[in-house]
Short mmCIF file of all heavy atoms in Angstrom, two decimals:
data_model
loop_
_atom_site.label_atom_id
_atom_site.label_comp_id
_atom_site.label_asym_id
_atom_site.label_seq_id
_atom_site.Cartn_x
_atom_site.Cartn_y
_atom_site.Cartn_z
N GLU A 12 -1.77 32.67 -5.10
CA GLU A 12 -1.30 33.92 -4.52
C GLU A 12 -2.36 35.01 -4.73
O GLU A 12 -3.01 35.06 -5.78
CB GLU A 12 0.01 34.30 -5.23
CG GLU A 12 0.67 35.55 -4.71
CD GLU A 12 1.76 36.07 -5.66
OE1 GLU A 12 1.86 35.57 -6.80
OE2 GLU A 12 2.50 36.98 -5.24
N LEU A 176 -8.19 26.54 -20.93
CA LEU A 176 -7.03 26.46 -20.06
C LEU A 176 -6.24 25.18 -20.35
O LEU A 176 -5.01 25.17 -20.36
CB LEU A 176 -7.45 26.47 -18.58
CG LEU A 176 -8.27 27.66 -18.08
CD1 LEU A 176 -8.38 27.60 -16.57
CD2 LEU A 176 -7.69 28.99 -18.51
N ALA A 188 -5.59 34.24 -19.57
CA ALA A 188 -7.04 34.30 -19.39
C ALA A 188 -7.33 35.26 -18.24
O ALA A 188 -6.83 35.07 -17.14
CB ALA A 188 -7.59 32.91 -19.08
N ALA A 211 -9.16 31.13 -9.41
CA ALA A 211 -7.79 31.01 -9.93
C ALA A 211 -7.27 29.58 -9.84
O ALA A 211 -6.46 29.16 -10.67
CB ALA A 211 -6.86 31.96 -9.18
N LYS A 213 -8.62 26.98 -10.63
CA LYS A 213 -9.00 26.18 -11.80
C LYS A 213 -7.84 26.08 -12.78
O LYS A 213 -7.75 25.13 -13.56
CB LYS A 213 -10.23 26.79 -12.49
CG LYS A 213 -11.47 26.74 -11.61
CD LYS A 213 -12.73 27.06 -12.39
CE LYS A 213 -13.96 26.84 -11.50
NZ LYS A 213 -15.18 26.64 -12.28
N ALA A 214 -6.99 27.08 -12.77
CA ALA A 214 -5.82 27.07 -13.66
C ALA A 214 -4.88 25.92 -13.30
O ALA A 214 -4.28 25.29 -14.17
CB ALA A 214 -5.06 28.39 -13.56
N ILE A 215 -4.79 25.66 -12.01
CA ILE A 215 -3.85 24.64 -11.53
C ILE A 215 -4.21 23.27 -12.10
O ILE A 215 -3.34 22.51 -12.51
CB ILE A 215 -3.82 24.62 -9.98
CG1 ILE A 215 -3.34 25.99 -9.48
CG2 ILE A 215 -2.94 23.49 -9.47
CD1 ILE A 215 -3.44 26.18 -7.99
N ALA A 217 -5.36 22.67 -14.88
CA ALA A 217 -4.96 22.61 -16.29
C ALA A 217 -3.45 22.71 -16.45
O ALA A 217 -2.95 22.77 -17.57
CB ALA A 217 -5.65 23.73 -17.07
N GLY A 218 -2.75 22.75 -15.35
CA GLY A 218 -1.28 22.79 -15.43
C GLY A 218 -0.72 24.15 -15.78
O GLY A 218 0.42 24.26 -16.22
N ILE A 219 -1.53 25.20 -15.64
CA ILE A 219 -1.01 26.54 -15.89
C ILE A 219 -1.07 27.34 -14.59
O ILE A 219 -1.57 26.87 -13.57
CB ILE A 219 -1.74 27.27 -17.04
CG1 ILE A 219 -3.19 27.60 -16.65
CG2 ILE A 219 -1.70 26.44 -18.31
CD1 ILE A 219 -3.88 28.52 -17.64
N LYS A 220 -0.57 28.57 -14.65
CA LYS A 220 -0.48 29.38 -13.44
C LYS A 220 -1.80 30.11 -13.17
O LYS A 220 -2.43 30.61 -14.10
CB LYS A 220 0.63 30.42 -13.67
CG LYS A 220 1.52 30.64 -12.45
CD LYS A 220 2.43 31.83 -12.69
CE LYS A 220 3.82 31.43 -13.10
NZ LYS A 220 4.68 32.60 -13.41
N GLY A 221 -2.19 30.19 -11.91
CA GLY A 221 -3.38 30.94 -11.53
C GLY A 221 -3.03 31.95 -10.45
O GLY A 221 -2.28 31.63 -9.53
N VAL A 222 -3.55 33.17 -10.57
CA VAL A 222 -3.24 34.19 -9.57
C VAL A 222 -4.48 35.05 -9.32
O VAL A 222 -5.28 35.27 -10.23
CB VAL A 222 -2.03 35.05 -10.02
CG1 VAL A 222 -2.32 35.77 -11.33
CG2 VAL A 222 -1.60 36.04 -8.95
N ASP A 238 3.34 40.69 -15.33
CA ASP A 238 4.02 39.44 -14.99
C ASP A 238 3.45 38.27 -15.79
O ASP A 238 4.18 37.39 -16.25
CB ASP A 238 3.88 39.14 -13.49
CG ASP A 238 4.64 40.16 -12.63
OD1 ASP A 238 5.44 40.93 -13.20
OD2 ASP A 238 4.41 40.20 -11.40
N ALA A 239 2.12 38.28 -15.95
CA ALA A 239 1.46 37.18 -16.66
C ALA A 239 1.89 37.17 -18.13
O ALA A 239 2.12 36.11 -18.72
CB ALA A 239 -0.05 37.31 -16.55
N GLU A 241 4.65 38.28 -19.35
CA GLU A 241 6.03 37.80 -19.39
C GLU A 241 6.07 36.27 -19.29
O GLU A 241 6.77 35.58 -20.03
CB GLU A 241 6.80 38.44 -18.22
CG GLU A 241 8.30 38.30 -18.27
CD GLU A 241 8.94 38.84 -19.54
OE1 GLU A 241 8.38 39.78 -20.15
OE2 GLU A 241 10.00 38.29 -19.93
N SER A 242 5.28 35.75 -18.38
CA SER A 242 5.23 34.30 -18.18
C SER A 242 4.69 33.58 -19.42
O SER A 242 5.25 32.59 -19.88
CB SER A 242 4.36 33.99 -16.95
OG SER A 242 4.09 32.62 -16.87
N ALA A 243 3.59 34.13 -19.96
CA ALA A 243 2.95 33.51 -21.13
C ALA A 243 3.90 33.51 -22.32
O ALA A 243 3.96 32.54 -23.09
CB ALA A 243 1.66 34.24 -21.47
N MET A 247 4.51 29.73 -20.29
CA MET A 247 3.63 29.34 -19.19
C MET A 247 2.41 30.25 -19.17
O MET A 247 2.44 31.37 -18.68
CB MET A 247 4.38 29.42 -17.85
CG MET A 247 3.51 29.14 -16.62
SD MET A 247 2.43 27.68 -16.73
CE MET A 247 3.44 26.46 -15.92
N PRO A 248 1.28 29.77 -19.73
CA PRO A 248 0.06 30.58 -19.73
C PRO A 248 -0.40 30.86 -18.29
O PRO A 248 -0.07 30.11 -17.37
CB PRO A 248 -0.95 29.71 -20.47
CG PRO A 248 -0.15 28.69 -21.19
CD PRO A 248 1.09 28.47 -20.37
N VAL A 249 -1.16 31.93 -18.14
CA VAL A 249 -1.62 32.32 -16.80
C VAL A 249 -3.10 32.63 -16.84
O VAL A 249 -3.62 33.15 -17.83
CB VAL A 249 -0.86 33.60 -16.33
CG1 VAL A 249 -1.30 34.00 -14.92
CG2 VAL A 249 0.65 33.40 -16.37
N MET A 250 -3.77 32.30 -15.75
CA MET A 250 -5.14 32.76 -15.57
C MET A 250 -5.15 33.73 -14.41
O MET A 250 -4.67 33.42 -13.32
CB MET A 250 -6.05 31.59 -15.26
CG MET A 250 -7.44 32.06 -14.87
SD MET A 250 -8.33 30.72 -14.03
CE MET A 250 -9.51 31.68 -13.11
N ILE A 251 -5.68 34.93 -14.67
CA ILE A 251 -5.77 35.95 -13.63
C ILE A 251 -7.22 36.03 -13.15
O ILE A 251 -8.13 36.20 -13.96
CB ILE A 251 -5.36 37.34 -14.19
CG1 ILE A 251 -3.92 37.31 -14.68
CG2 ILE A 251 -5.57 38.42 -13.13
CD1 ILE A 251 -3.50 38.59 -15.42
#
Side-chain angles (χ1 to χ4, degrees):
Chain A
E12 183 194 10
L176 303 189
K213 295 192 174 201
I215 298 172
I219 68 170
K220 221 189 259 177
V222 61
D238 293 348
E241 192 57 28
S242 169
M247 176 46 96
V249 182
M250 172 197 157
I251 299 172

